[in-house]
Amino acid sequence: MTDDLTLPAKPQKKASRWGLFGPVLLLAIICAAWSGYWFYTAQRIQTQVLQHQKVLIAAGYQASFDPIRVTGFPYRMVIDFHRLNIISPSGKGLSAPEVRAEAYAYALDDWVAEAPQGLTLYRGRTGGIDRGKVSVMGTQLRASAFNLSKPVPTVAIEGDDLILAASDAGYPLPFTTAKALEFHLRPTANVADSADIMLNFTGAQGQPKSLAGDFGSARALSMQVEGAISHVSTIRDVGIASAWAAKGGQVSAFRLKLVQGGLTPLPTGTFTTGCQGGNAGGDLNVCASSDLLTPEATGHVNGKLNIEMAGTFNPIDVLGALNLISPDNMTIARPLLNMTLATQGTQTFTVEFHDGGAYIGPLKVSDAPILP
């Protein structure tokens, strides 16, 4: 007999498998939750598109496209529109064989789109007369819209190596080919319901009676336009210029620069106010600016446009190409303006818009531009 007491051995615990299967289970739960979110959101987006189509049709639009479905799982939301056709009651709109729109599934306020097969723009009616269509082709036709839920989103439209063709030669386009075109709209800093806009095209050429063609077909034209537009929500909600004008819409800090012949492209996102820097030998530099332009009750523009012009072009021909002197008034205006405007060197003068007309001094040279 012994005094040693031997305790019974404790049973060993089985090794936990949570360390092995826990992360796998957690990942499976996350994937299932994300998949549920994606398919739910995809269905909601498709429903919203169809509801918006019904709203447009009820408002008098033509709005049609082939049946759609949302793809892009797991990270993107992609909508492929085929035979897209959206035309407003005024006859303005667009159609395209194919438009692809997409956004990240976790950032549905930001979308990008492209039209790989080009598109057709409908120019609408002026005085009851249909202005026809414009075919637009290019190596890249793309658009983006960010912060869509905000009062003023950020929008960009861009095209490279553009070729434009109008169906009605009676309404010539500003240009028929261009190396690049871009349009930007962004909220004006510290100003509610206002947007900064910028339109820029480079390397443009055109047929006679077009903006680019009237300056000569041999040398390419570049133009940049900037300004700030008030009451943007009216344009976004109603889409009618007359309604915008009735709300007190205005364009401030308007700037335009037009350059022809042998110059580097205009800077993107900035405006160069000087007309200096052009090459000698016939290059044209035009700068136009206005602190404020407002619409009259008739829709005609009211305000002053300060113009600075340099180059060997006759200033009267430049004003005619810019439609600031109408063909009907050219015969009357030319002798008087030849007495006040030189044909060489830098010219500085003002065009005033009031009472539906455009005036240089006391001489009415054309009707004032009218809102579309």
Side-chain angles (χ1 to χ4, degrees):
M1 185 172 181
T2 176
D3 294 331
D4 292 339
L5 297 176
T6 303
L7 298 175
K10 294 182 178 180
Q12 293 185 350
K13 293 183 178 179
K14 292 184 178 180
S16 174
R17 297 180 181 273
W18 174 251
L20 175 62
F21 294 108
V24 176
L25 180 59
L26 180 61
L27 180 60
I29 293 173
I30 293 174
C31 289
W34 177 260
S35 298
Y37 162 80
W38 190 96
F39 285 104
Y40 167 77
T41 304
Q43 181 61 44
R44 182 166 59 87
I45 290 173
Q46 183 170 327
T47 300
Q48 289 176 340
V49 170
L50 297 178
Q51 287 176 341
H52 190 59
Q53 179 191 21
K54 292 179 180 179
V55 171
L56 289 175
I57 293 174
Y61 282 72
Q62 299 179 42
S64 63
F65 42 81
D66 288 349
I68 62 168
R69 65 186 185 94
V70 180
T71 61
F73 182 82
Y75 303 117
R76 297 180 300 156
M77 297 290 178
V78 180
I79 309 174
D80 286 304
F81 295 93
H82 295 279
R83 294 193 287 186
L84 177 67
N85 188 48
I86 301 177
I87 303 174
S88 72
S90 67
K92 295 180 180 179
L94 63 86
S95 64
E98 177 187 358
V99 172
R100 165 166 284 203
E102 62 181 275
Y104 286 111
Y106 50 82
L108 296 177
D109 221 19
D110 304 335
W111 287 81
V112 296
E114 63 175 345
Q117 299 183 48
L119 51 85
T120 299
L121 301 178
Y122 293 79
R123 307 177 73 180
R125 293 178 290 275
T126 301
I129 301 175
D130 191 341
R131 300 178 64 189
K133 300 179 291 186
V134 178
S135 169
V136 182
M137 299 297 295
T139 56
Q140 290 284 342
L141 295 174
R142 54 193 177 273
S144 62
F146 301 139
N147 300 319
L148 282 172
S149 61
K150 293 187 176 181
V152 181
T154 298
V155 178
I157 300 173
E158 300 173 299
D160 297 330
D161 300 320
L162 293 178
I163 301 175
L164 281 64
S167 63
D168 191 336
Y171 296 98
L173 302 168
F175 57 86
T176 51
T177 63
K179 186 65 177 176
L181 179 145
E182 56 180 322
F183 169 82
H184 295 275
L185 181 148
R186 59 179 181 266
T188 303
N190 303 319
V191 181
D193 204 16
S194 177
D196 296 332
I197 62 168
M198 190 271 282
L199 171 67
N200 182 18
F201 63 76
T202 59
Q205 295 179 295
Q207 303 297 325
K209 296 184 179 181
S210 69
L211 175 64
D214 281 349
F215 287 114
S217 58
R219 292 173 295 177
L221 189 73
S222 297
M223 187 174 76
Q224 184 174 11
V225 180
E226 286 191 348
I229 298 179
S230 70
H231 297 78
V232 178
S233 59
T234 302
I235 302 175
R236 181 177 182 179
D237 296 339
V238 181
I240 301 174
S242 58
W244 172 76
K247 287 286 187 178
Q250 60 186 31
V251 178
S252 58
F254 176 81
R255 301 289 185 270
L256 177 150
K257 185 170 184 177
L258 185 148
V259 184
Q260 185 184 37
L263 297 179
T264 56
L266 297 175
T268 300
T270 58
F271 183 77
T272 304
T273 56
C275 284
Q276 296 77 21
N279 296 335
D283 290 332
L284 171 69
N285 292 258
V286 177
C287 292
S289 64
S290 178
D291 292 334
L292 185 65
L293 295 172
T294 59
E296 297 178 343
T298 59
H300 291 88
V301 172
N302 184 77
K304 293 183 179 181
L305 192 65
N306 301 309
I307 297 178
E308 181 180 345
M309 188 183 307
T312 59
F313 278 81
N314 188 309
I316 301 174
D317 294 334
V318 174
L319 293 174
L322 292 172
N323 292 321
L324 293 176
I325 299 180
S326 66
D328 294 339
N329 291 327
M330 184 67 74
T331 302
I332 299 174
R334 186 178 292 275
L336 296 175
L337 293 180
N338 277 336
M339 296 173 61
T340 58
L341 298 178
T343 57
Q344 293 184 351
T346 299
Q347 309 298 312
T348 303
F349 54 95
T350 299
V351 178
E352 296 189 36
F353 304 113
H354 60 83
D355 301 319
Y359 295 82
I360 298 179
L363 179 63
K364 180 180 179 180
V365 293
S366 70
D367 292 334
I370 191 169
L371 294 170

